[in-house]
Amino acid sequence: MKKILILTTALSGFAFAATAAEVTVMSWGGAYTKSQVEAYHKPFTAETGITVNSVDADNPATPIKAQVEAGNVTIDVADVEFSDAIRLCDEGLLEEIDPAILPAAPDGTPATEDFIDGAIQDCAVANIVWSTVFAYNKDNVDGTPTSIADFFDTTKFPGKRGLRKSAKATLEMALMADGVPSDKVYEVLNTPEGVDRAFAKLDTIKGDIVWWEAGAQPPQLLADGEVVMSTAYNGRIFNAAVAESQPLEVVWDGQILDFDLFVIPKGAPNKDEAMKFIAFATDTKRLADQASYISYGPARKSSGALVGLYQDGKTEMAPHMPTAEANLGNALVNNFEFWVDHDAELNERFNAWLAK
Amino acid sequence: MADATTNPTNTGLTTADGKPLKAALAHAQARSRRRAFLLVLPLLLFIVITFIAPIGQMLKRSVYNDGFTVQKNLTTGEKTPIMVNLAKWFDENPAGTEPDEAAFAALVEDLKQLKETRAAGQAGTRINYELSGSRSLFTQGARKAKKLQPPYKEALLELNPKWDDPKLWQVMRSASSNFTGTFFLAATDRTRDADGNIQRVEENRQIYLKLFWRTLKLSVLITVLTLILAYPIAHLLATLPLRYSNLLMIFVLLPFWTSLLVRTTSWMILLQSQGVLNDAMVAMGLISDGNRIQMMYNQTGTVIAMTHILLPFMVLPLYSVMRPINPSYVRAARSLGATSWTAFRRIYFPQTIPGIAAGGLLVFILAVGYYITPALVGGSDGTLISNLIAFHMQKSLNWSMAAALASLLLGGILILYWLYDRLVGIDNLKLG
């Protein structure tokens, strides 16, 4: 009897491998996951017969280390930010991805040249370019905010502000609002005085800030009137404004561009299917397709020409892309090296500042 | 007894077959003890495997970190020692020695090996925990180590002048041994300077002690609030006739069966500045539209939501203690001339103390470890130490730091538990 008990207990500890071919993809939830399901997952299943399970997290980079170290990996593909992809790769938590598996562009340009610079890394392949912008609710703001400085100006535009609860992007925006030109931001932030300056700027609106953590929160906070302006991932605002007709408006001044990349956690249960999925999802057509569900720029040059209308069939997508010429007036490209290096220190300081 | 009287030389009682009774008894007892032990063995094993061992692992992780000494291949599980040459140099030279050419040569040799084993990121991350900005130093150094020509000291400094930082060498020295107190120091807002002396970190980075203190204060406050709210409810439940009290019990238990997230988000809808409560007060003209009260994204929100969520944990032990209290005691006291206050204070209240003790301990310990609710409604000044532990577990991936913080929290709770035992006595605790 006891033997049986021990045996069953031991057995229940192992998850049984699924019989049908499948792949589990973890992403950021909300409108973004929806766009991926439409543009990648459904066509992938239709073409290969491999089922795609979609899971969401506030930040998909978060569970990877815990799962890999515990030797219990349940996700095959995760969609993560640039600095997280580099850091996880350095810590040996990701499978390497051979760029040779990526399909060439329709005109025959090899993938390594077709992707934007930096979009292919040892363990990661980029799918989109997105940005952190600030947006406001037209019903609750008198006048028109036009610059990042307006976001920090609570006398001219009274009301609460939403900001992501992390040092990344928050500090850069504070410096840009304080008059630092975008090409000098990381230089300034690399000095103790620069960090002090960023926090001093944040101090000026500290009492008016509502902190958000999940990408779905800012459109909600703006729509509820809980805040009058909020930083957000640009695609979420586009969807709330176009698909749900919320009175939200993006301000592109001071936007911070970043990649999202696909990675495969080390020891993923369906590694081969994961590779197939990444090769499929980052081809020219899929990346262009995704842009018709949410306003994120494709990471391949050849996809740009194919980006057309939003799924409603009348909204032009091109002007809503973070990479559109008109939106790059005062833009900052996220410096992943800087954040890989200073993430821990600046977040510690950020947390201490929050707790004050 | 007859045996004893007829046989005075016998030293004690014996069984029928002449064995001393004491030994026979001990033998029989040992058998039943063994059987009892075998019966609890499965549970014991379960607790050891799922509870004691992980806690032991956590304690170990808070003082043990081999990020700078061993590279572990996660797919094959094989371990390769890294930074061996430098560790040897550290062994041969006492702390405070100026790093010479030999030291830099050893360092370059190790950097080359880091490149081969792809461990530069890991080693750099380990140093980065203590000296921010040094991670890229290692990744860059490893990338270029192959090309460096002696004299190595000059070559490395040309690559990056940071390699000469005495603090960096102090950190590398301490990281080259697997056991370290660094994480406990950091968890109490302390650090070592370049000479290895302990000092407080600068003011704008001090956070952990403050949060420990805040966690303690808020947990005590929430415990007191739940007690004040739960006492009358439990009394009502215990004294009403069954058909009413069952209905009330359902009301107490319903939120208990609702998901924690649902309850927390409901509070968000009620409390936010454009929420139900504020809207109602504006509609009634109690406050103007411009001065809505901020009850969310701050400590107030944390206290309100957690008090509500932990209320059943206070009600149930109180109820189970109050239910069997005989009402005739209080009636007797009243008939002997006690005022209702005196009767409550001297007769009823003392009988409920075990319930208060149990509920208080339960709520306090749960409150200390709460983190989902403060993360959602706490804003900036309502977060607790557990949020920081979660941050280090999930975001900064510095698990040793998370383990050190968690160990301190565990130690603190054990001390409080010991105090509680001295003051109240753990035997007075009644859960039903």
Side-chain angles (χ1 to χ4, degrees):
Chain A
M1 181 67 214
K2 213 157 105 193
K3 260 194 188 136
I4 294 172
L5 253 180
I6 289 172
L7 200 66
T8 47
T9 319
L11 277 179
S12 62
F14 298 110
F16 293 109
T19 43
E22 57 175 2
V23 64
T24 305
V25 180
M26 184 176 256
S27 187
W28 297 74
Y32 182 51
T33 293
K34 222 164 94 188
S35 74
Q36 293 185 321
V37 169
E38 295 296 333
Y40 312 152
H41 303 191
K42 285 182 182 170
F44 181 67
T45 307
E47 183 159 318
T48 61
I50 299 170
T51 325
V52 181
N53 308 320
S54 169
V55 226
D56 293 333
D58 276 357
N59 180 354
T62 304
I64 291 179
K65 175 165 173 159
Q67 292 200 355
V68 174
E69 297 232 342
N72 181 18
V73 181
T74 59
I75 43 184
D76 303 307
V77 179
D79 177 300
V80 302
E81 287 175 34
F82 206 153
S83 57
D84 285 329
I86 302 294
R87 202 162 42 131
L88 292 167
C89 186
D90 277 346
E91 296 212 357
L93 299 166
L94 302 177
E95 298 284 358
E96 291 191 24
I97 300 174
D98 179 4
I101 66 163
L102 303 171
D107 62 2
T109 316
T112 42
E113 288 165 38
D114 190 27
F115 275 89
I116 302 172
D117 281 346
I120 299 183
Q121 296 289 330
D122 290 352
C123 339
V125 179
N127 54 348
I128 56 155
V129 178
W130 57 278
S131 81
T132 306
V133 293
F134 86 86
Y136 62 96
N137 185 329
K138 285 185 280 198
D139 292 353
N140 298 339
V141 174
D142 302 329
T144 315
T146 51
S147 73
I148 185 74
D150 289 342
F151 184 84
F152 283 82
D153 191 341
T154 44
T155 38
K156 200 159 136 199
F157 300 101
K160 296 234 176 268
R161 306 289 197 262
L163 272 166
R164 185 178 175 189
K165 200 174 188 172
S166 79
K168 193 158 71 178
T170 306
L171 297 179
E172 291 101 313
M173 283 198 173
L175 284 180
M176 285 192 280
D178 208 31
V180 178
S182 54
D183 56 347
K184 293 269 187 296
V185 165
Y186 287 107
E187 211 174 298
V188 173
L189 206 52
N190 212 351
T191 62
E193 300 77 35
V195 176
D196 289 345
R197 185 173 164 184
F199 279 109
K201 186 70 184 174
L202 283 170
D203 267 327
T204 59
I205 59 166
K206 190 173 180 182
D208 290 313
I209 300 177
V210 172
W211 300 99
W212 58 267
E213 294 195 56
Q217 280 174 288
Q220 190 64 48
L221 289 167
L222 284 164
D224 283 354
E226 202 57 23
V227 298
V228 299
M229 298 181 200
S230 178
T231 58
Y233 307 137
N234 71 291
R236 307 290 182 118
I237 299 296
F238 170 86
N239 272 48
V242 176
E244 295 161 25
S245 315
Q246 296 283 357
L248 307 183
E249 192 71 52
V250 171
V251 177
W252 292 101
D253 184 78
Q255 66 157 327
I256 300 172
L257 294 154
D258 202 341
F259 284 124
D260 256 17
L261 305 93
F262 281 133
V263 298
I264 302 176
K266 208 158 218 144
N270 308 300
K271 190 177 144 185
D272 300 345
E273 287 83 357
M275 293 283 181
K276 268 192 207 141
F277 175 84
I278 291 178
F280 176 89
T282 57
D283 76 8
T284 304
K285 183 170 172 351
R286 308 301 148 200
L287 291 183
D289 276 355
Q290 198 209 1
S292 61
Y293 296 101
I294 195 162
S295 61
Y296 291 134
R300 270 181 185 251
K301 295 169 197 158
S302 58
S303 303
L306 302 179
V307 172
L309 297 175
Y310 182 59
Q311 57 188 24
D312 63 0
K314 54 181 194 283
T315 313
E316 270 295 338
M317 290 307 291
H320 294 285
M321 292 289 171
T323 44
E325 203 54 51
N327 300 338
L328 290 170
N330 179 25
L332 175 72
V333 178
N334 186 310
N335 181 335
F336 72 92
E337 277 271 345
F338 176 87
W339 281 111
V340 170
D341 244 357
H342 295 280
D343 201 46
E345 173 204 23
L346 287 177
N347 267 310
E348 204 169 67
R349 168 115 186 229
F350 179 76
N351 281 325
W353 174 81
L354 278 180
K356 252 192 223 142
Chain B
M1 284 319 285
D3 264 354
T5 46
T6 53
N7 188 3
T9 53
N10 197 343
T11 47
L13 301 170
T14 54
T15 54
D17 55 0
K19 273 192 209 144
L21 190 56
K22 229 180 180 165
L25 190 64
H27 185 70
Q29 274 182 338
R31 267 229 326 260
S32 67
R33 262 209 300 271
R34 255 204 309 277
R35 193 178 309 131
F37 179 71
L38 280 178
L39 281 172
V40 298
L41 191 65
L43 180 66
L44 183 71
L45 279 178
F46 178 78
I47 286 183
V48 166
I49 292 168
T50 61
F51 189 70
I52 312 244
I55 286 183
Q57 249 183 326
M58 174 190 86
L59 289 171
K60 180 183 164 190
R61 209 182 261 275
S62 65
V63 291
Y64 180 91
N65 190 312
D66 56 9
F68 202 62
T69 54
V70 178
Q71 197 254 347
K72 187 170 170 225
N73 185 326
L74 289 163
T75 26
T76 59
E78 70 184 283
K79 296 181 172 186
T80 330
I82 54 172
M83 307 308 286
V84 254
N85 300 303
L86 196 61
K88 216 169 107 203
W89 186 86
F90 281 134
D91 285 343
E92 288 159 4
N93 299 279
T97 315
E98 188 72 28
D100 52 10
E101 180 60 25
F104 278 94
L107 179 59
V108 170
E109 206 47 51
D110 285 333
L111 284 172
K112 282 181 195 164
Q113 192 229 353
L114 284 185
K115 171 85 178 132
E116 279 160 32
T117 52
R118 305 198 50 125
Q122 171 203 318
T125 302
R126 169 68 187 90
I127 302 299
N128 209 49
Y129 289 152
E130 294 177 59
L131 185 63
S132 169
S134 40
R135 192 181 160 291
S136 56
L137 206 60
F138 281 83
T139 48
Q140 175 203 34
R143 266 200 304 270
K144 309 213 167 149
K146 260 210 167 75
K147 297 197 184 82
L148 294 177
Q149 297 296 334
Y152 287 122
K153 183 165 180 174
E154 279 169 41
L156 261 184
L157 291 186
E158 199 172 315
L159 197 61
N160 197 326
K162 276 191 194 165
W163 282 113
D164 211 13
D165 183 0
K167 169 85 181 158
L168 172 74
W169 284 85
Q170 184 266 316
V171 173
M172 288 200 291
R173 180 182 288 273
S174 86
S176 63
S177 74
N178 288 339
F179 286 93
T180 170
T182 306
F183 297 103
F184 273 105
L185 281 182
T188 53
D189 294 330
R190 280 168 177 75
T191 176
R192 286 179 191 278
D193 59 12
D195 306 330
N197 303 316
I198 294 172
Q199 61 190 90
R200 295 289 300 263
V201 297
E202 58 265 38
E203 169 106 46
N204 57 28
R205 289 182 54 198
Q206 291 175 12
I207 172 169
Y208 301 114
L209 288 177
K210 189 187 292 172
L211 283 187
F212 273 117
W213 185 230
R214 178 193 290 166
T215 305
L216 184 69
K217 275 196 304 202
L218 284 188
S219 302
V220 170
L221 176 66
I222 287 160
T223 310
V224 171
L225 283 175
T226 49
L227 176 63
I228 291 170
L229 291 170
Y231 203 91
I233 300 174
H235 179 71
L236 195 64
L237 281 173
T239 50
L240 277 179
L242 259 183
R243 61 172 190 275
Y244 298 117
S245 74
N246 275 349
L247 184 69
L248 280 181
M249 199 50 151
I250 300 272
F251 283 139
V252 171
L253 290 176
L254 251 185
F256 208 43
W257 296 329
T258 316
S259 136
L260 176 71
L261 271 174
V262 172
R263 279 182 287 165
T264 306
T265 32
S266 314
W267 275 112
M268 289 166 89
I269 294 163
L270 284 170
L271 295 176
Q272 61 183 20
S273 65
Q274 304 290 329
V276 178
L277 273 179
N278 263 312
D279 280 353
M281 285 195 284
V282 171
M284 287 192 290
L286 292 175
I287 49 174
S288 68
D289 196 18
N291 318 332
R292 289 168 172 263
I293 306 170
Q294 188 69 30
M295 294 178 276
M296 181 79 346
Y297 308 119
N298 55 21
Q299 269 190 34
T300 320
T302 302
V303 171
I304 294 176
M306 280 176 69
T307 301
H308 169 250
I309 285 164
L310 294 172
L311 199 54
F313 292 101
M314 188 63 105
V315 173
L316 295 172
L318 279 175
Y319 166 80
S320 64
V321 169
M322 287 174 178
R323 187 99 217 169
I325 291 177
N326 193 334
S328 55
Y329 291 149
V330 175
R331 282 207 296 273
R334 294 293 306 252
S335 73
L336 291 168
T339 60
S340 57
W341 166 240
T342 311
F344 169 77
R345 190 171 53 92
R346 295 189 45 191
I347 308 296
Y348 190 77
F349 183 75
Q351 296 184 83
T352 62
I353 282 183
I356 296 175
L361 196 68
L362 209 57
V363 170
F364 178 80
I365 285 181
L366 284 171
V368 162
Y370 249 54
Y371 82 99
I372 293 176
T373 306
L376 286 169
V377 304
S380 58
D381 62 354
T383 45
L384 305 178
I385 194 71
S386 38
N387 298 100
L388 264 275
I389 295 174
F391 168 79
H392 281 301
M393 279 304 290
Q394 302 175 335
K395 294 204 176 122
S396 77
L397 302 185
N398 185 349
W399 286 6
S400 288
M401 187 72 201
L405 287 168
S407 305
L408 283 178
L409 189 62
L410 181 69
I413 289 184
L414 287 177
I415 290 171
L416 285 170
Y417 183 81
W418 174 81
L419 269 176
Y420 174 94
D421 186 31
R422 297 296 303 268
L423 296 172
V424 183
I426 216 67
D427 312 339
N428 291 332
L429 196 126
K430 253 211 188 115
L431 280 164

